[in-house]
Every structure is written in C-alpha cells, then in structure tokens.
Amino acid sequence: MFRQFRSEVSAALADALAELGLPADDLGIERPPDDMDATLASSVAFRLAGEVGAPPPSVAADVAEAIDVAPYDYLAAVDTAGPYVNFHAGERYLADTLEAAAGEPTYGTLPDRETSVVVEHTSANPTGPVHVGRARNPIVGDAVANVLEYAGYDVDRHYYVNDAGRQMAVFTWAYETFDESELDDEPARDRIEYDLVRYYRHGNAFLETADPEAAEAAEAEITDILRGLEAGDEETYERVSEVVDAVLGGMKACLARLPAEFDEFVKETRFMRDGSTDDIAERLKATDHAVYDDDAWQLELDEWGIEKNLVFLRSDDTSLYTTRDLAHHEWKFANYDRAVTVLGEDHKLQAEQLAAALDLLGTDTDRLDDVIYSYVNLPDGKMSTREGTGVVLDDLLDEAIDRARKAVENRMDDRIRDDDLTDEDVERIAHQVGIGAVRYDIVSKQPAKAITFEWEEALDFEAQSAPFVQYVHARCCGILSEAAAAGIDVPSDAESVDVDAGVLETAAAKNLLREVARFPAVIESAAADLEPHTVATFTREFADAYNAFYRECPVVTADSDALRDARLAVVAAARHTMANALDALGVDAPASM
C-alpha cells in the first residue's frame, strides 16, 4: 500500500509541476517531520523558490493547489505546512493495509524478482574460535541476506574458506609436529576449535622464538605444504583439510548460536585444483597492465584510481589470495546474477583491487557490491586473538544470556508472576533477549561507523534497544492470547480479515497502521541500499507508534464489538510487522517477556 501511495504522490506532484511549467527532476518526497500530520511530504518548494522568485511557503501553496487527487486510489488530500506540501492517505489506504497485514504472517515479503544473489560473509580464517571484533561480519552479513530474501531475491549464503594461505600451512605443520603434552594450556571450552587453536598459537610462538636452524627447518616444511597445495597434491590437500574441517566444525557451532548459517562453505583450494586460478594468472599476464617487478607479477591499477599495485603471482609462480578470489568471483558470476560481499574495513583496498581486476578481465562489475564495516570494540578497547588474547564470540553470547536472565528476573513483577512464567520460560527469554540484544545493537548501527558495545544500552528494556522492540511483539501476542482466552474471535494467519477499519477513530491507531503500511517499502529500500540498519531504525519508530496505540486504545475492553475487532486486527497486523522486521534483522521475536 505504501509503495502504491508513494507512486501516486510522485505522479500527482509531477503532473502539478508540469502544469505550472516547473521542473520535476527532484520531487523531494520524504517522510514528514514528526510534528506534521501527513503520510508523505515534499520539500520541492525549497528547490523551486529561487527559480520562481517567491518564498517557499508561497511556492508550496501554489503546488498544492495544482494537485488533483481525483484519479488516485489512496491519495485523498493535499495541504501545506509552511514550505512543505503534505500528502494524506485516505480511509481506503488504512483499510487495505489492515486487510493485507492482519491475517498474513509473511507480510512485508515482496514478490519474487527472479534474480539470484550470493551473499558472502564472515569468511574468517579457520585458525580458532570466532572473535568478538569480527562478530559484525556474520551479524551484518546475515541481515543483508535476510533483507534481500524478504525483498524477493533468491539468496544463497556463502562462507569463503581460506584453506590455502600461510596461516593454514603453519596450522597444519604445528598440528602434525607438536604433541599435546607440549602445549602450555588447556582448551578454554570443550569444542574442537578451542582445542586445536592451541597448536596454532604454539606453532607461531615456536617460529618467533626458535633458534635459526630450527626455524629454518620449520619454514621449509611450511613452504612444502604451500607448494603441495599449489601443485594440487592430493595428500597435502587432505592433510590441510583435516585441520580446516575440524576447526570449521567448531566455528559453525558458534555461529549457529547467533544464528548465522550458510548454504555453502566454498574452499579457496577449489579454484587452485580446477585450474581456474592458473587461468586467471595467465590472462592477467597478457594484459597491458601487467608488469614484472620486485620478483613478482603485478597489475598497475592507476586507471582505476588505485595507487597500490595488485600482486597476483610470486616469482615461483605461486598464486596469492586475491588471484584465487578472482577465480572465485568469476565462478560466482557464472552461477548468480549478483554477488554481495561483506568485508571488514581492513579489506577495503583489496576489494577495490579485486573489482578493478575483474573489470580488466571483462566482468560486469555492476553486478558486484561490497558492504564494508568497521570493527566492534568492547569498552576496554580493541581486541586481538593472534597471541590468544581478547574476547571470543562465545564469551560475549554467554555474558549476554546471563545478563538478560538477570534482567528478566528483575522484571518479574506481580503481573508476570501471575502468568506462571516457568524456569524454562525464563531461560528461553534470556536466550532470545540476550542474543537478540547483541545482534540488534550491532546491526542497528551504520556498518561504516566504528562501534563500542555497551551492555547497559544493549539490554535496556526502556531504551530503544532489542528488548524495547521485542517487547512490542510480546505485548501483541499477549493481547491476542487474552482475547482468545475470553472466547473472542481473533484474526488467524492466512485468513482474510473482515473488520470495519472506519471505526478506528484515534490518531494513535491510524498512525500505527501507517507504520504497518510502510514496512514493505522499508524492506525494499534496505535491500536496494544493502543497509539493514534502516530496518532497525524502522522497528524503533514502529515501537513508538505501537506504544502510543497501547496506551490510548484498550483492545479487549473496547467500547463496542466492532471497535474491539478492528483493534484486534491492528494488533495482529502489528505482530506480523514486528515479527518480520525482527526476523529480517535475525533477531528473535519472543511471544512473552
């Protein structure tokens, strides 16, 4: 409904400007300020004031007078507020919104676009437990994939496994060289990646402190592993895979707690073993941009505004990560219409070099998008795991659940106790709220902005946090359950809702329905811009609208059956809207809190 209403506003405004002989290249249509009672507004008068030679309020009045609302289904009225032209939706708009959302559990899902998208995210090197500083990648990446799916795209989620680099060669060598009795510590958790990471750390420490002769011998073994992978040696591949697959198994278990799950784990060695990396190297060598310098083949990328050359082949003809990633991306574009990659800010240059090289190779890079994010810090500062220090994601999630459990127990007032909230309920809510708080706090920020995770803000039931918006869904479920328990018919999923929306006389009910109507357009915009944080912003605005409705509009005890049924339909519509908005963010929607 909102998308159609916006289209009607655009058409009506463009026609009015044409009638006035004014340019319609920028209509300035936006969500109105909170103190304006309108569904949409236009700031076009600001742009036209200089051209017309009149103050913006006067221009706005002329434009409003020229608009004809008669041809439109939803556009009912136009007026002005100072320099703004305000557009008002009519009763049919609210009635259709209520009918569309109240009985439709998939409300907000857009039609199939028949376009396939692969979203690659996380792709952390399989060297040990997932680290908090990298937690933004699976959280943002999963939300990007969810939003695209809601917007009608056919989405696959991929994890690109770096199983061919030096780190994995060091890991494999260390695992095969050292006995567990030589390790300094016990595993921090009873899960495989916590066990095996000790070998990786011990191996790095050995290389840094061993005498020159021992270090040289170790480096020779590590080099042999790298060369074996490059040559496609099956035995070497199996040796490395034993470590990689074991560590990945543990990392999957950690990521599943968020949850962040994947359709495929694509190994880097795949593109070495099938010959596509060698093919890429030969094609790059043949370009005018290839130079051999400093004992390596490089690409000069000045034409793309990139000063740093891309090294794609060493002097011994072994490839580099980016060379293999080029082959990986050509494979993506052979199988998908679009490719989206979620990357940390430290990979920004690499992403630019990759795009330039793909362009040089003839790939349509308009099909490639990157989402660049800054890292998550805890209040104590930046974190690092290379020496075994810092905070792992498992610890953060455990802490979140513990803190949420205490917060829930502290909020168990007499009303909640009367609901017979069991220990199992408390534990369920603690997981939903705790992990939801982590996800929501991280995904709600613009990815490019560095953030410091603060417990007090993330778990504040009163502030605009995960618990604040989750509570809206719980309240909706509570009202619907209360009505059903009283023998009142409540809207059921996938059934047409037949109520009289015209009895919804309060501004709070109408404002809430306008927010419901806006949700599909929020999904569409978030998918187009790859900005799931805008869905989080919507949930906070939606929560404000719902809470106003909750305060002002009693539902089960409404003054008439018709009003009660209409308000129950509004609650059902709000429940579907919030549930799906949270689902798009990867946050659970608790039925009770």
Side-chain angles (χ1 to χ4, degrees), residues 179-257:
D179 187 82
E180 184 171 11
S181 62
E182 300 177 74
L183 306 180
D184 296 331
D185 52 1
E186 294 296 318
R189 285 176 185 258
D190 185 18
R191 211 167 60 210
I192 189 66
E193 78 273 33
Y194 286 89
D195 179 15
L196 296 186
V197 72
R198 298 177 301 151
Y199 292 90
Y200 178 64
R201 292 170 181 161
H202 188 76
N204 277 306
F206 177 88
L207 293 172
E208 292 174 0
T209 60
D211 63 75
E213 184 176 343
E216 184 178 350
E219 289 291 353
E221 293 182 43
I222 293 165
T223 299
D224 282 345
I225 294 173
L226 288 170
R227 286 175 176 164
L229 290 173
E230 195 76 33
D233 179 68
E234 189 66 26
E235 181 183 354
T236 304
Y237 174 73
E238 290 177 359
R239 290 165 58 197
V240 174
S241 292
E242 180 182 358
V243 176
V244 169
D245 293 345
V247 174
L248 270 180
M251 296 173 76
K252 289 178 191 178
C254 172
L255 293 169
R257 299 181 66 190

Side-chain angles (χ1 to χ4, degrees), residues 112-133:
D112 186 359
R113 297 175 185 264
E114 298 184 352
T115 302
S116 60
V117 184
V118 56
V119 177
E120 178 201 330
H121 68 83
T122 307
S123 301
N125 291 338
T127 54
V130 182
H131 172 241
V132 168

Side-chain angles (χ1 to χ4, degrees), residues 97-397:
T97 296
L98 193 58
E99 182 178 353
E104 181 48 73
T106 63
Y107 178 69
T109 303
L110 304 185
D112 186 359
R113 297 175 185 264
E114 298 184 352
T115 302
S116 60
V117 184
V118 56
V119 177
E120 178 201 330
H121 68 83
T122 307
S123 301
N125 291 338
T127 54
V130 182
H131 172 241
V132 168
R134 299 278 178 176
R136 203 169 189 178
N137 199 313
I139 291 172
V140 171
D142 191 59
V144 166
N146 292 345
V147 165
L148 286 168
E149 207 160 53
Y150 265 90
Y153 293 94
D154 181 13
V155 179
D156 272 0
R157 297 157 170 83
H158 284 190
Y159 187 121
Y160 186 48
V161 182
N162 180 357
D163 63 335
R166 175 179 165 81
Q167 285 182 312
M168 293 319 303
V170 170
F171 204 156
T172 303
W173 161 79
Y175 178 67
E176 295 175 344
T177 299
F178 300 107
D179 187 82
E180 184 171 11
S181 62
E182 300 177 74
L183 306 180
D184 296 331
D185 52 1
E186 294 296 318
R189 285 176 185 258
D190 185 18
R191 211 167 60 210
I192 189 66
E193 78 273 33
Y194 286 89
D195 179 15
L196 296 186
V197 72
R198 298 177 301 151
Y199 292 90
Y200 178 64
R201 292 170 181 161
H202 188 76
N204 277 306
F206 177 88
L207 293 172
E208 292 174 0
T209 60
D211 63 75
E213 184 176 343
E216 184 178 350
E219 289 291 353
E221 293 182 43
I222 293 165
T223 299
D224 282 345
I225 294 173
L226 288 170
R227 286 175 176 164
L229 290 173
E230 195 76 33
D233 179 68
E234 189 66 26
E235 181 183 354
T236 304
Y237 174 73
E238 290 177 359
R239 290 165 58 197
V240 174
S241 292
E242 180 182 358
V243 176
V244 169
D245 293 345
V247 174
L248 270 180
M251 296 173 76
K252 289 178 191 178
C254 172
L255 293 169
R257 299 181 66 190
L258 284 171
E261 298 181 346
F262 298 87
D263 297 294
E264 189 170 353
F265 286 76
V266 181
K267 289 187 174 180
E268 188 181 3
T269 49
R270 171 179 185 163
F271 307 103
M272 301 164 71
R273 291 155 63 83
D274 68 5
S276 57
T277 298
D278 290 339
D279 176 65
I280 287 284
E282 291 305 312
R283 287 159 58 199
L284 290 176
K285 279 184 185 179
T287 68
D288 294 337
H289 296 268
V291 295
Y292 189 81
D293 191 22
D294 289 336
D295 293 326
W297 280 97
Q298 307 181 30
L299 284 182
E300 295 180 334
L301 300 175
D302 305 67
E303 186 176 316
W304 288 267
I306 301 172
E307 295 182 4
K308 186 176 178 61
N309 286 0
L310 169 63
V311 178
F312 65 90
L313 206 62
R314 300 184 184 92
S315 58
D316 60 0
D317 283 340
T318 55
S319 60
L320 287 90
Y321 178 88
T322 306
T323 327
R324 302 186 284 270
D325 203 17
L326 286 167
H328 173 214
H329 274 76
E330 287 199 334
W331 171 82
K332 286 183 183 180
F333 291 123
N335 291 279
Y336 298 92
D337 299 316
R338 287 180 58 196
V340 177
T341 311
V342 182
L343 297 163
E345 59 189 355
D346 55 335
H347 292 308
K348 186 175 182 180
L349 173 61
Q350 178 186 315
E352 293 171 349
Q353 291 175 322
L354 178 83
L358 285 170
D359 186 37
L360 181 61
L361 291 168
T363 299
D364 178 10
T365 51
D366 287 341
R367 299 163 61 194
L368 175 65
D369 292 290
D370 296 322
V371 177
I372 306 293
Y373 66 91
S374 294
Y375 294 116
V376 177
N377 300 319
L378 291 182
D380 291 337
K382 290 194 173 183
M383 297 162 288
S384 170
T385 54
R386 191 173 187 283
E387 294 80 24
T389 61
V391 180
V392 295
L393 180 57
D394 279 311
D395 288 345
L396 181 70
L397 297 181

